[in-house]
Amino acid sequence: MDLLEYQGKQLFSKHGVPVPEGKHATSVDDAVAAAEEIGYPCVIKAQVAIGKRGKAGGIKLANDSDEAREHAEAILGMDIRGFTVHDLWVEQASEIAAEHYASIILDRGEKKLLAMLSRMGGMDVEEMAEKDPEALVKRHLEPNREFGPEQAGAIAADAGIDEDVSKQVADLLIELHEVALEEDATLIEVNPLIVTEDRKALALDSKMTIDNNALFRHEELAELRDRSAEDPQEQMAKEKGLTYVKLGGNIGILGNGAGLCMSTLDVVAQAGGEPANFLDAGGGSKAEAIVDALEVITSDPKVNAILFNIFGGITRCDEVARGIIEASQRIDLGVPLVVRLDGTNSEEGLKLLEEADIADLTVEKTMLGAAEKVVELAGG
């Protein structure tokens, strides 16, 4: 789960990471009130889950209430690279003497957190690494060892941080590590980490990703999810407890079991089609789960044909057939269905479908035959 800047900074403050004073606003009046409370100059910042907001006009400096109102009106509702701005962060302006880069990320290959620090900040880390590979200092952090002043200080020294603020930057890196551990973050990025004119180190930005699998430990974080940025089909599937990934094609795919679903995607692509989704209805799919799955798939306006590929092991094919029949009665599917049932109670399932006489439903015996038929019906 990706957090917005203000959400990350609120977590930073909770763990002692120094940040400029700021307030969250969702309306122009709230933004002006926040600016008056914080004082001028202040910065009005768009809150969207994507970078380069400043270049898109999503970060503006306000010197008085009239400018704060003007900027808030311009930024709220703005489209920034496909993301609509619904939230603002009004922040005390900072006098910047230097910009650095700091991050704590999960290195999945090493199964360890990785601390990174660079004297160069304010640019993409990829661009930074390309310009000067030696400028980015990296250290893996051992899970069972304390990450303390000695190790963090060595990273700051190797990165060439000015001696008078080296300890502050090292302390900030230690605090970011604490945030990662306590909040189950897989990525924390501060770009830029600034040094102000009065020589204070501050996190001027925040990019944070929380491990979805750990949200049961953080109910308060689960509530922070930016639902407006979520794909509507993926959000619906999540609410129904379905495993669904949107892919962008026009052929809806429903299978039982991740392996069969992946194979189905491959066979449809081999037949010349473009899958719209990956949807695993689960190993013991009941009729209600099939209805839910069809509601999710048909809510995608791009879908113009659906392929059911079910192999009955734990799943009973007659239950799947009942789900298809029930869905055809409860919702207007509006697209042709191609069904391949094999395995447990497949004969019973196929008989139920034949007796139901559902319009625009075709039964195929093989996976390849089903894939070729659904591609034909989808116009591919």
Side-chain angles (χ1 to χ4, degrees), residues 308 310 317 320-321 324 339-343 346 349-350 353 364:
F308 276 79
I310 303 294
C317 293
V320 173
I324 295 171
V339 179
R340 180 241 180 184
L341 297 179
D342 194 12
S346 59
L350 293 170
L353 291 176
E364 292 287 339

Side-chain angles (χ1 to χ4, degrees), residues 228-303:
S228 66
E230 291 184 359
D231 177 85
Q233 279 74 48
E234 292 189 350
Q235 185 177 339
M236 186 191 302
K238 190 178 298 178
E239 291 169 357
K240 294 178 180 294
L242 298 169
T243 303
Y244 174 95
V245 179
K246 191 168 182 176
L247 299 175
N250 65 332
I251 297 174
I253 304 294
L254 189 149
N256 62 314
L260 183 61
C261 283
M262 292 296 290
S263 299
T264 306
L265 298 179
D266 290 343
V267 174
V268 167
Q270 178 185 330
E274 294 186 18
N277 64 271
F278 168 106
L279 198 157
D280 176 7
S285 305
K286 301 292 184 182
E288 189 62 31
I290 300 301
V291 174
D292 288 344
L294 275 169
E295 287 179 341
V296 171
I297 292 173
T298 56
S299 70
D300 182 351
K302 286 188 176 182
V303 171

Side-chain angles (χ1 to χ4, degrees), residues 67-205:
E67 287 189 359
R69 182 172 295 278
E70 178 186 344
H71 296 330
E73 287 176 345
I75 295 172
L76 273 174
M78 176 186 288
D79 181 278
I80 298 180
R81 299 169 65 193
F83 290 80
T84 302
V85 179
H86 300 291
D87 298 86
L88 299 173
W89 182 241
V90 183
E91 184 173 82
Q92 184 180 58
S94 298
E95 295 184 355
I96 301 173
E99 294 185 348
H100 306 314
Y101 169 92
S103 67
I104 303 286
I105 67 170
L106 176 62
D107 185 337
R108 297 184 187 277
E110 293 293 325
K111 300 181 176 66
K112 297 175 184 177
L113 290 175
L114 176 68
M116 293 194 288
L117 183 65
S118 175
R119 185 177 175 83
M120 298 167 60
M123 62 178 73
D124 292 335
V125 66
E126 295 86 357
E127 181 184 342
M128 183 192 311
E130 186 177 330
K131 275 191 170 184
D132 185 0
E134 301 300 318
L136 191 62
V137 177
K138 304 177 184 180
R139 296 285 189 278
H140 282 103
L141 309 180
E142 297 299 328
N144 297 321
R145 295 182 190 172
E146 180 186 3
F147 178 52
E150 183 178 349
Q151 189 177 3
I155 294 174
D158 289 348
I161 304 299
D162 289 343
E163 190 173 341
D164 66 320
V165 292
S166 182
K167 183 180 183 304
Q168 289 187 58
V169 171
D171 288 345
L172 196 149
L173 203 58
I174 292 169
E175 288 154 357
L176 293 180
H177 178 246
E178 179 186 331
V179 176
L181 293 180
E182 295 294 323
E183 307 295 346
D184 289 298
T186 57
L187 178 147
I188 297 176
E189 187 174 80
V190 177
N191 190 23
L193 184 167
I194 66 164
V195 177
T196 63
E197 292 287 353
D198 58 356
R199 310 308 284 170
K200 291 181 180 178
L202 297 176
L204 193 62
D205 198 6

Side-chain angles (χ1 to χ4, degrees), residues 219-233:
E219 291 183 7
E220 73 287 355
L221 293 183
E223 293 303 313
L224 297 180
R225 177 177 286 117
D226 182 14
R227 290 176 172 80
S228 66
E230 291 184 359
D231 177 85
Q233 279 74 48

